[in-house]
Amino acid sequence: MNEQPADQEALIDRISADSLTTRRDYLRIVATVSGGLAVGSTVVAAGVLPRHGDGSAPPLKVADRLARGQAVAFNYPGEHDRAMAIRLADGTLVGYSTVCTHLACGVLWRKERGEEGELYCPCHEGVFSARTGEVTAGPPPRPLPKVVVVEDGGGAVWAIGTARSGESDERGLCRQLQERDPDFAARAGCAAILRGGAS
Ligand code: FES
């Protein structure tokens, strides 16, 4: 976060200026990705996150702070969509839907399992990687869908978007932006991300 390449800094400046003039859609900020979450985090830290998105899921503050090894449960993007943000032992922030991809039981955080914990479904012993959401054991057929989470300058954690099961955060954000603001998606470079099939 502290060391941004020059081109990324320029990109962030452009994004910030644009969002300050329009403030219409937070996804226009975070989906301008070449560095994805770093961009999103920086924009949040700069205080340019719009108060409301114009779509289904405005940004949601899920924790004032999240220490390493800690997790917080919340609902996002809808009020009945169970989700969780986790700060891994190395400081990485990750977010997932906690609806199991097998038969929709609630997935739990087991901090003490392995080096960085795991996400566990007690219904049929399904296990997902805490770092990637991939299935590591049991019957779930797909990885956990992601909730894109970023940290602002004050250390608060925000949910700002979603990505489908197996989809990268950048691609998920770009897909949503493409649906909502194709012009900006084009300017943001989403075409290459979407065309490239990055997962
Ligand atoms: S519902 Fe999660 S493993 Fe079956």
Side-chain angles (χ1 to χ4, degrees):
M1 270 300 299
N2 294 332
E3 296 178 19
Q4 303 283 355
D7 58 345
Q8 191 169 320
E9 283 185 11
L11 179 64
I12 291 166
D13 285 347
R14 271 208 325 276
I15 301 164
S16 301
D18 186 79
S19 67
L20 285 169
T21 53
T22 64
R23 285 187 176 271
R24 276 195 314 150
D25 188 342
Y26 72 96
L27 277 178
R28 71 174 48 220
I29 303 169
V30 294
T32 305
V33 270
S34 159
L37 293 185
V39 174
S41 301
T42 302
V43 171
V44 172
V48 296
L49 192 70
R51 285 182 294 272
H52 301 286
D54 60 2
S56 58
L60 176 70
K61 188 183 191 180
V62 300
D64 288 330
R65 190 162 290 275
L66 201 57
R68 294 178 187 222
Q70 279 191 336
V72 60
F74 55 93
N75 292 324
Y76 188 88
E79 59 180 309
H80 301 297
D81 297 324
R82 289 166 288 165
M84 182 176 288
I86 304 165
R87 174 89 68 189
L88 301 177
D90 69 355
T92 303
L93 204 51
V94 294
Y96 302 103
S97 160
T98 52
V99 179
C100 183
T101 56
H102 183 219
L103 295 174
C105 283
V107 171
L108 308 172
W109 166 235
R110 295 211 295 195
K111 175 183 174 181
E112 71 286 355
R113 289 301 181 114
E115 290 187 1
E116 50 189 16
E118 67 183 21
L119 288 152
Y120 171 71
C121 179
C123 286
H124 311 97
E125 308 265 305
V127 182
F128 303 86
S129 161
R131 182 167 293 275
T132 67
E134 297 284 335
V135 181
T136 58
R142 293 181 304 282
L144 289 173
K146 291 179 185 169
V147 172
V148 182
V149 287
V150 297
E151 182 176 14
D152 70 17
V157 177
W158 294 74
I160 61 171
T162 58
R164 291 174 180 155
S165 185
E167 185 179 52
S168 71
D169 293 349
E170 290 84 355
R171 188 175 169 83
L173 291 170
C174 273
R175 179 174 47 73
Q176 291 160 61
L177 182 62
Q178 179 70 29
E179 291 166 1
R180 295 163 59 166
D181 191 339
D183 287 346
F184 191 84
R187 281 188 284 138
C190 281
I193 291 172
L194 294 171
R195 193 173 50 238
S199 61

